[in-house]
Each structure stands twice: as C-alpha cells, then as structure tokens.
Amino acid sequence: MKTTVFFIALIVALTALSLNAQECIVVQEGEDITVYYTTCLDQAINEASPDAVVYLSGGVFSFCNSATVIDKKLQFIGAGYNPMGVVATEPTSISNTIKVVAGGDGTAFIGMKFAILNGAADDIVVWRCYFTKIESDANIDGWMIDECIFNEISGTATKKLTNFSISRCISTFVTGSQTFYTFRHLNNSIINNCLFLNSVTSRLDNSHNNNLSNNLFHLQSYFFNTSNSNRTYNNLLTTYTQISSTDNVDANSLTNENIHNHLEMHAQNSNHSFTADYHLKDDSAGKDYGTDDTDIGIYGTILPFKDDAVPFNPHIEQAILANKSVNGGIQVKIKVRAQER
C-alpha cells in the first residue's frame, strides 16, 4: 500500500508540473496524501503531522512567510539538484533560508538545492543536496551530511557543531559565498572520502578532535587554524598544507601532490562542474589507498558517490504528455526507474 500511495503522489506531482506548468507539494501521512498546488511551503509544513513525507516536484519553492520554521520531524524529498540527472522533472530548489528549530530533531532533506540551512535541532540528515551553507543557531549534534555539494559548514563560539558525519561530499565555491574556511567550530566529527576543490585560508577553523580520512584537498594557506587534537589519515594534499603539528597528528597522508593531476577530468584551479569526472586516474597513488582499501575521494567506500544525485525513491527518467486531449483523455507515457539507493 505504501508503494501505491507513493506512485499516486508521484503521478500527481508530475502531471501538475507538465500539464499546468505549476510546481506542487505532496504530503504523505501513512496512506493519506494531500496535494498543494503552490510554490509556498508554509501551509504544507504547518499542516503536516510529525513523521510525514513531503515530496517536492521540480521547480523553485520558498517560505513565503519568514516566520515559518520546521518544528517537527519531517522528511523532504525533492527531484534532485543535478540538471543532468533530472531532465524529465527539473531540479528542486528552495530559494530562501530553511530554519529547523527545537522539535525538528530527525528531519531529513533529500535531493534538492538550497542556500542556507539554519539548524537548532539534532540528528538532521542532508543527503544528495547542493547548498551554500549550514549554520548553527544552537549547539547541534549528530547531523549526517552525505553525497552533497557545499561551500561551508559553520558553527560559532557559543553554538557549536558536534558529532557530525560528513561523507562523499564535494566542497566548492558557491556563488555569493565566502572562501575563508570550510568548517568552523566543528568538533568530534568524522569527515571521510570528500573532495575539496575551493581555495580557502583554512580548512578547519576553531575545530577540535575530528577525524579526517581518505579525502583529497586542493590548496589552502593553512589546514588547521586555532584547532587541535585532530587526526588525519590517508588523505592526498598539496604542498601548502600544515596537516601535522604538535597539536594535530597525521598518518599516511600523501603530501606535495596536486589533486588535479589525480582526477580523470577537472580543470586546474576550477571549482565544481557537473561535466567533470572526479574518478581517480588508473595511475593515481590514491587508488585503493583508503583506510578501507578502496579509493580515496568520493568514489571510495562500498557505496560510492552517485553521479546523477537523484534521491533513492523511484526516479522519473522520461515523461511524454500529449498536448491535446483525445476523446476526453490525455495520453501519458512515463518511464520510471527503480533504484537500490
């Protein structure tokens, strides 16, 4: 029954977009669905019950009321952010700041692009998203950020980030963002199998007791700034890193390396491109060099980075709708691909 409900929601979202050129929001609560033909997220979020799933069609959505916040556990699933992976539906974007406050613990954002996620809740999941910044509005704990493209993840001296898991991500310069550091006030966290393309002053600022392994880092002036008790393993770095010191310990990292010489196709000193190929060259020293004996970088681990970046749910690959009715009906041809993850 859950599968049936999902496909009803899927077809409603697709037909709304294709026939009416109108974005829509579909909220699933158990076996019930509610459809909102709007780009404003406010009503759907306010009316949804805790643990509801909020499907967003392709298109651009926003919080039309600046006071709207997410104060309950919800799961948001978009169509994806990669324009090359969502040809039939278009990418899903949220144009203004997303605010998750107390009560929103466990909320998930999957398959969308947004600017800023302001967090004051724990155990948030951000999976296959493209964003400029995650910022803390309280001490927050236990976030998982996986297969994302981003510029900055930042806490403050009084609102720290702890116990984050950041895996298979690409750090890059996003238009309108700063480039001083990648992580700030991040503690007791794990960063593995990521690719850091943008040039920054420091990778970790005021960040302590983190483990970083199997990553590739483009140049920076300093690796750590006012940070200590960090541990790095089996990374690949340029000559400008200061990865090992009295306060921070490194093991087995490959230094004096230009990461662009190790990637199949990526322009020197360029930031992220959807047409780039971030697989390691066959002769790269990073092949099978990870702590788990897989490649370092985003295509390591037993679950490598997914190129088209679409969510885990069945994905619409092709949608053909007739431009006029025949005998009161409209012919629809939809090709949907099931996905393992």
Side-chain angles (χ1 to χ4, degrees):
M1 181 60 72
K2 288 184 178 179
T3 301
T4 302
V5 172
F6 166 75
F7 274 106
I8 292 172
L10 189 69
I11 299 304
V12 168
L14 176 65
T15 54
L17 177 60
S18 300
L19 296 179
N20 303 321
Q22 181 180 4
E23 293 89 342
C24 76
I25 304 163
V26 179
V27 178
Q28 178 182 341
E29 300 176 286
E31 297 180 359
D32 298 323
I33 64 170
T34 305
V35 184
Y36 300 85
Y37 294 98
T38 178
T39 60
C40 292
L41 293 162
D42 312 88
Q43 183 181 2
I45 290 174
N46 291 333
E47 294 181 352
S49 300
D51 295 311
V53 182
V54 182
Y55 295 98
L56 305 178
S57 68
V60 181
F61 298 85
S62 66
F63 294 89
C64 296
N65 184 340
S66 61
T68 300
V69 297
I70 299 168
D71 59 1
K72 57 198 142 189
K73 180 182 177 182
L74 297 173
Q75 185 177 65
F76 294 86
I77 302 178
Y81 66 77
N82 184 345
M84 300 174 67
V86 289
V87 176
T89 59
E90 300 183 0
T92 298
S93 299
I94 298 178
S95 62
N96 47 7
T97 298
I98 304 169
K99 298 180 181 179
V100 185
V101 300
D105 295 356
T107 290
F109 301 92
I110 305 167
M112 62 188 64
K113 181 178 180 179
F114 57 86
I116 298 174
L117 174 54
N118 181 284
D122 297 331
D123 303 317
I124 304 299
V125 173
V126 185
W127 186 18
R128 292 179 187 154
C129 290
Y130 182 110
F131 60 88
T132 302
K133 182 179 182 181
I134 286 175
E135 62 183 16
S136 61
D137 199 34
N139 290 322
I140 54 178
D141 181 87
W143 286 40
M144 186 190 82
I145 303 168
D146 194 6
E147 294 185 271
C148 291
I149 299 174
F150 71 92
N151 184 79
E152 177 189 343
I153 298 175
S154 181
T156 71
T158 57
K159 300 172 182 178
K160 300 181 187 300
L161 319 175
T162 58
N163 296 310
F164 273 45
S165 173
I166 303 167
S167 301
R168 294 172 291 265
C169 290
I170 300 171
S171 173
T172 186
F173 176 77
V174 177
T175 301
S177 56
Q178 60 80 39
T179 56
F180 298 118
Y181 44 73
T182 307
F183 303 107
R184 195 176 193 197
H185 296 287
L186 175 71
N187 303 316
N188 302 96
S189 296
I190 295 173
I191 303 167
N192 68 282
N193 288 92
C194 294
L195 173 62
F196 296 86
L197 295 174
N198 51 342
S199 301
V200 295
T201 301
S202 60
R203 288 295 171 199
L204 284 89
D205 177 76
N206 284 278
S207 299
H208 314 294
N209 201 38
N210 299 291
N211 285 352
L212 300 90
S213 60
N214 311 330
N215 305 290
L216 292 93
F217 293 94
H218 185 47
L219 62 85
Q220 57 275 314
S221 298
Y222 303 95
F223 198 90
F224 300 113
N225 179 51
T226 320
S227 302
N228 56 59
S229 301
N230 296 287
R231 294 163 297 281
T232 51
Y233 307 94
N234 297 53
N235 299 287
L236 189 146
L237 310 105
T238 66
T239 57
Y240 295 96
T241 57
Q242 298 177 358
I243 194 168
S244 185
S245 65
T246 302
D247 298 320
N248 302 290
V249 178
D250 174 69
N252 301 320
S253 288
L254 302 168
T255 57
N256 300 319
E257 297 284 351
N258 184 330
I259 70 168
H260 303 282
N261 295 335
H262 293 260
L263 301 175
E264 281 286 358
M265 187 176 70
H266 187 261
Q268 175 76 24
N269 296 327
S270 294
N271 282 283
H272 168 69
S273 168
F274 287 114
T275 60
D277 184 350
Y278 300 126
H279 287 87
L280 297 180
K281 294 180 178 178
D282 289 340
D283 61 353
S284 170
K287 296 288 290 184
D288 301 324
Y289 193 70
T291 54
D292 59 355
D293 296 323
T294 67
D295 292 356
I296 63 174
I298 61 174
Y299 294 107
T301 78
I302 60 173
L303 296 172
F305 184 89
K306 189 175 183 180
D307 286 322
D308 57 10
V310 295
F312 60 89
N313 49 301
H315 175 63
I316 300 172
E317 289 189 326
Q318 184 182 49
I320 302 174
L321 284 80
N323 55 15
K324 63 181 180 179
S325 63
V326 178
N327 298 325
I330 296 178
Q331 291 186 334
V332 178
K333 181 180 179 180
I334 298 173
K335 182 180 179 181
V336 179
R337 174 168 57 93
Q339 303 181 111
E340 294 181 357
R341 63 182 185 96

